[in-house]
Amino acid sequence: MSNRRSFLTGAGVSMLGATLVSRAGAAGLPEAPVQSSSATAPPLAPPNGRPYNPVVTLNGWSLPWRMKDGVKEFHLVAEPVVRELAPGMKANLWGYNGQSPGPTIEVVEGDRVRIFVTNKLPEHTSIHWHGQILPSGMDGVTGLNQPGIAPGKTFVYEFVARHAGTFMYHPHADEMNQMAMGMMGFWVTHPKDPRKHAVDRDYVLLLSSYDIEPGSYTPRTNTMLDFNLWTFNSRVFPGIDPMVARLNEKVRIRVGNLTMTNHPIHIHGHRFEVAGTDGGWVPPSARWPEVTTDVAVGQMRAIEFVADNPGDWAFHCHKSHHTMNAMGHEVPNLIGVDHRGVAQKINKLVPGYMVMGDKGGSMGDMEMELPANTLPMMTGRGPFGNLEMGGMFTVFKVRADQKRGDYRDPGWYRNPPGTVASEWTGELPAPHSAPDAAPGKAPKGEAMNARKPGSHRH
Amino acid sequence: MAAPRLCAAMAAAFALAGCASITPDRGLEAASQLAHERTGVDARLLRGEDELRALDAHIDALLREPLGMDAAVRIALLRHPGLQATYWELGIAQSDLVQASRLPNPSLGFSRLHNAHYTEIERSLSFDLAGLLTLPLRQRMEARRYEQAKLTAAAAMERHALETRRAWVEAVAARQAVAYARQVAEAHEAAAELTGRMAQAGNASQLDLARERAAYAEAGADVLRAQRAADGARETLTRQLGLWGKQAGYTLPERLPDLPAAPAEPEQIERLALERRFDVRAAREQAAATAADLGLTRSTRFVNVLELGVANKSETGEPRAKGYEVGLELPLFDWGGARVAKAEAVYMQALNRVAETAITARSEAREHYLGYRASYDIAQRYRDEIIPQRKKIADETLLRYNGMLASTFELLADAREQVGAVNGYLDALKDFWLAHAALEGALGGRVGHAPAHTNKEHQQ
């Protein structure tokens, strides 16, 4: 879990600006804890300061702080990290304090916050505090609000967390590369009154996407849209932990989108309301009931609902390619293509060739050898077989016997008798199918006949 | 008085003449031995139907197996009619030598004069004394010419062996190229067929289908082209072997011999070339022969005709008179200077030819050795790097296909590229064996490893 690193370097301290040294330099910097595991850390109960209900960062953790003269001091270290995207696949990313995304920062409305940012990247960086209302010089856009933090230097940001809500942080220096390399983190400002907006479980996750060529480790940061890995907190299914709740607990899930496309986030078995955006909390009268909410690029959404339906429920982005892992986008469709004879011919030329895709993409339980450091396009074992999922997918588990505050995976849901879909064993009527939909045959007679221009004899 | 001495001289001449005679092999065996270490074959003169039949039986036995490089050389040296003609040339040289060893025939003179009163009869028997005296010199000269002819014949055999090896390498490589062109065509065929099925199922357009079919048709043309080249290469080899009819239906191995584990590294290649090459040796013999010519010309520059004979004269009414006569050409007008100058010029010419041959031999030795090493390095690069990396690419592409990251078409395209790389290796291997043969020619002998007949499967 977290281990502590005293990484005070002379250079880091000496580079503090003169005005800052007078306030923070004398006592030195707070320690920068490091997280080496990509497991979900239990919520971090506040040891000091104002009380709040901590969140749980899915496959992540929250950053401990130091109270100094009534100011919450955090220390973020921007650095290259190796993030396990799922068992069997690691990525060379950039992140904070050992992980990508960086640790979640939790503060309380009205807190004065001082954040030290040390740059251990090979290029300059900065941090923009997305959604915070703060002094212009603390907004973190290099060139506009501040100079870049040069490699080896430490900068300090200080402001008051004025509004409760759901936020994030990310670089605003070479951001195309730095965000594509995984630099981002969650920020939650809790309300002063912990009873306000109180829920039993509060999950947070950031959406990010990567283009990592199968067999390689480092994302291609120039990719704009054709990503092959769609992640919750830089994890892909089956590497994403389940979210769990005790029956009838109030649950909040906060989602931030730092990919380059929108994500319709969808939950099964429940209806929710969008309770918050990065602009703040939505008045109860304005909340819409939903089962899917679209989280646009650069947006945050907090959804709330009562987990009143026991079972194992899918939670995912509704873009079907986003619940897949790396796949070939140029692979032609072979559904319904008769391979008799051709397959043997190809097998002669390509030993080890097996026909795939002629009946669709579902490979059942076929286990094929893959290139190094990649994941099957769709995978995951469930109680009834292969889940055939990847990417932005996990399971929301509601149990009557889940203890309060227990985030452990309770295993697969035991369906009460008679509540699982099953094969019909009664009498069957003669099957009907569409006349032209026989597989292996192109539809006939429906071809469009284009008329040549120039002829006006209609 | 003079008769006993004359008899002694004639006896000595006969004794000398006895050394040289026509041998049944017409001197081929000696030449064949010279060539043997380079060709591994004992050449034979073919005389008569029986020998021809025996040889054909031997060749038929060789042709029962796919024809290897050494067997090809063997057949070519035994059977090729052009080479047989060269062998008979050796017989001509041997005959010349024997001729040179024979004593000049004596000349018999007889004259009868008579009138009403008397009759005069003169009888004489004379020998070309100059010829007799210079006989050993001339004989040595012809012996040298004969040696030279042997070298020439051996060189012809060696050259023919070299050409046969080249033709064999070309023919086998061309055959292999056909096999690989077929594989490329098969990959295109599979792609075209799959696209056809896709078009039938509605998953591919007519444009895609036409493209795949065009590529397949072009690959088919490439097969025909490769076949044509292979037919040509095979006929070249057939000519080189001197075969026709049923025997021309021989089969060739499917593959060239593998690249040897390490290249041959003969030391002092220039010295080897000068020592062993037949053309260098022949040029030397030529120079020595012209030197002997020069010696003969010098010793006979003044006296070209010296005849000694017994004379006998009967005259009517007179007692028979006996005596001897000497005929001598008087060098009044021709002091033989021109002849000597010509012989000297010929000698100098021969000396310079030796120098030229030696320089060429050294240079060729260097050139072919460097060419041989370069060819080895290229083929080795293919064998140890390009082919394994291509194999790796194929494996990785298949893994990507497994992960639905690549399509069947990419697998097929990669299979074609692999075939291209194997073809590149074959070309490199062919170049290597050609360079190997050329180096053997340049060094006048076998170099290192002989090509093994068994070889591993070429990685496809």
Side-chain angles (χ1 to χ4, degrees), chain B residues 211-428:
Chain B
R211 282 203 178 111
E212 292 294 341
R213 284 188 176 159
Y216 173 40
E218 279 174 26
D222 286 343
V223 172
L224 294 175
R225 217 171 272 137
Q227 187 63 57
R228 184 181 64 183
D231 290 344
R234 185 190 164 92
E235 277 315 316
T236 306
L237 175 62
T238 307
R239 278 199 294 281
Q240 201 63 33
L241 295 169
L243 296 183
W244 61 283
K246 202 159 68 72
Q247 286 182 334
Y250 58 88
T251 57
L252 284 170
E254 297 202 340
R255 295 186 179 89
L256 286 172
D258 274 341
L259 192 67
E265 295 186 8
E267 283 172 12
Q268 294 179 299
I269 47 165
E270 292 182 34
R271 190 180 55 79
L272 274 180
L274 291 185
E275 268 175 18
R276 304 199 299 194
R277 274 173 68 140
F278 288 135
D279 58 344
V280 177
R281 281 166 69 173
R284 268 205 215 108
E285 290 289 337
Q286 168 91 31
T290 53
D293 278 355
L294 181 59
L296 175 68
T297 311
R298 280 216 176 101
S299 57
T300 60
R301 65 182 296 176
F302 302 114
V303 182
N304 201 24
V305 179
L306 171 65
E307 279 177 325
L308 175 71
V310 288
N312 181 313
K313 180 174 165 184
S314 310
E315 213 173 320
T316 309
E318 295 289 323
R320 178 179 287 201
K322 290 181 184 167
Y324 62 91
E325 58 177 20
V326 173
L328 176 67
E329 182 189 86
L330 289 180
L332 277 182
F333 309 109
D334 179 4
W335 287 77
R339 276 190 290 131
V340 172
K342 182 187 171 190
E344 273 175 0
V346 169
Y347 177 60
M348 290 311 292
Q349 199 181 32
L351 279 188
N352 279 299
R353 289 260 183 269
V354 176
E356 187 200 5
T357 312
I359 288 171
T360 305
R362 283 167 183 274
S363 165
E364 283 181 358
R366 288 192 303 268
E367 181 194 347
H368 289 298
Y369 182 65
L370 293 175
Y372 166 84
R373 280 308 301 260
S375 310
Y376 185 88
D377 291 346
I378 294 168
Q380 190 187 31
R381 179 71 53 108
Y382 269 95
R383 184 193 64 187
D384 297 346
E385 290 169 42
I386 299 174
I387 299 293
Q389 288 309 319
R390 274 277 156 216
K391 178 89 178 73
K392 174 93 177 144
I393 291 172
D395 293 346
E396 287 289 328
T397 308
L398 187 60
L399 292 183
R400 273 152 188 78
Y401 172 78
N402 288 349
M404 300 191 91
L405 301 159
S407 72
T408 310
F409 294 96
E410 281 161 85
L411 285 181
L412 290 172
D414 180 68
R416 291 193 291 269
E417 279 188 31
Q418 253 193 93
V419 168
V422 171
N423 229 358
Y425 174 50
L426 279 186
D427 268 351

Side-chain angles (χ1 to χ4, degrees), chain A residues 185-307:
Chain A
F186 221 96
W187 179 298
V188 175
T189 303
H190 295 283
K192 253 183 205 150
D193 179 357
R195 288 165 302 180
K196 209 174 167 189
H197 312 301
V199 291
D200 298 303
R201 296 185 191 244
D202 198 342
Y203 289 99
V204 307
L205 55 100
L206 279 175
L207 310 177
S208 60
S209 56
Y210 302 95
D211 181 19
I212 301 178
E213 188 69 19
S216 75
Y217 293 79
T218 310
R220 296 153 62 118
T221 53
N222 286 353
T223 299
M224 188 174 171
L225 294 171
D226 206 7
F227 296 93
N228 60 16
L229 292 161
W230 303 94
T231 73
F232 289 168
N233 285 338
S234 299
R235 292 280 284 189
V236 294
F237 187 77
I240 305 177
D241 284 341
M243 291 184 283
V244 296
R246 180 184 168 85
L247 188 65
N248 294 324
E249 276 184 336
K250 188 157 193 197
V251 176
R252 178 184 296 131
I253 301 173
R254 313 187 197 217
V255 182
N257 181 3
L258 282 176
T259 72
M260 289 201 246
T261 186
N262 63 313
H263 296 279
I265 296 295
H266 174 58
I267 194 166
H268 295 208
H270 295 82
R271 296 177 302 167
F272 61 74
E273 286 177 345
V274 178
T277 72
D278 22 4
W281 294 106
V282 180
S285 60
R287 295 181 182 180
W288 289 0
E290 295 264 31
V291 292
T292 303
T293 187
D294 200 24
V295 187
V297 180
Q299 284 185 340
M300 318 282 307
R301 291 287 179 269
I303 59 170
E304 289 178 9
F305 58 96
V306 176

